Amino acid sequence: MSHRMFPKEEYILKGHAACPGCGATLLLRHVLKALGPNTYLVIPACCTSVIAGPHPRSAFKVPVLHIAFAASAAAASGMIEALDKLGKPANVVVWAGDGGTVDIGIQALSGAAERGHNIIYICYDNEAYMNTGIQKSGSTPYKAWTTTTPTGNVSFKKDVPSIMVSHRVPIVATINPAYPNDIYEKLRKAQGIKDGLKYIHAFSPCPPGWRYDSSLTVKIARLAVETGIWVLYEVDHGKFRLTGPSKNLLDKDKRKPVKEYLKLQGRFAHLREEDIEEIQRLVDAQWESIAKLLKEQE
Ligand SMILES: Cc1ncc(C[n+]2csc(CCOP(=O)(O)OP(=O)(O)O)c2C)c(N)n1
Ligand code: SF4
């Protein structure tokens, strides 16, 4: 789909409260353009609760249910069932941060997936609890600085997309704000699939939390894919496939060194050469696993 064919309609209005260069807001802009006006958002406590603005006003042109942290997937399950009974088909979308997904919301998410509710669940992953001051979440990368990991995170990022694949939901996919075409295709496809929960995990750069200048959001998002540290893929009814530029990165020589991604961000400024080498080895190992999986699927 060419950029010129993207809907002109904007669903995020001027005057919203996001920081300049907020990756989450850029993602949500494209997500809403792809899904259209017949969309209900369910949002647990996170930056986006603030970005939307205080009741009774809203910077979003679609209805929003603001809900307690642990309840978003359960609330969305009830909402889709109620709309169904009323004979009003609609997109019900949970839009939650990584703290609200990989830590606090995972129980309700797991239940909704198991019950097969026809919702789209999107985790925008800015890799920490940003709204309350950059605390580590279960999605913070290994070695990254946060205010609660001042010398670098010692644990590894939880692989929630794989956890969702193990629930056998119809669609699990990753998206990234530097690739709007890929966002459109995946969201439109998710919208058309009615046999269960669709889980989308979104790379969401955050200038204040990741300690970089707000002009660099798209560059960092693109480098995440080009270095292979963030993989664009889709698992459609159990079948894994790479998408967008990630399709061409199985060969290590095609991937940029991960250092190019890390060096632009203050949260990785404390890394020593051996730390960067270790992260590079982890990224390469991840790609070896992908190559093995693709071979097994042949
Ligand atoms: C039960 C509960 N605990 C704590 C809070 C405070 N709180 C509000 S937003 C937030 C951070 C959410 O982090 P995340 O889900 O990663 O989204 P982000 O802020 O990064 O957008 C926290 C801890 C709350 N609102 N409710
Ligand atoms: S703190 Fe980060 S995620 Fe939150 S509004 Fe600012 S840029 Fe966006």
Side-chain angles (χ1 to χ4, degrees), residues 45-48 69 96-101 124 126 128-132 137:
C46 59
C47 277
T48 313
F69 250 133
D98 49 295
T101 301
Y124 70 94
N126 54 26
Y129 291 78
M130 292 308 178
N131 187 243
T132 39
S137 78

Side-chain angles (χ1 to χ4, degrees), residues 9 72 87-88 104 138 228 231 281:
E9 185 78 19
S72 35
K88 290 184 177 172
I104 307 170
V231 185
R281 278 196 299 277

Side-chain angles (χ1 to χ4, degrees), residues 102-123:
V102 318
D103 298 332
I104 307 170
I106 198 164
Q107 176 268 340
L109 169 59
S110 174
E114 186 223 316
R115 293 188 302 270
H117 285 295
N118 180 27
I119 61 174
I120 300 175
Y121 189 111
I122 305 175
C123 170

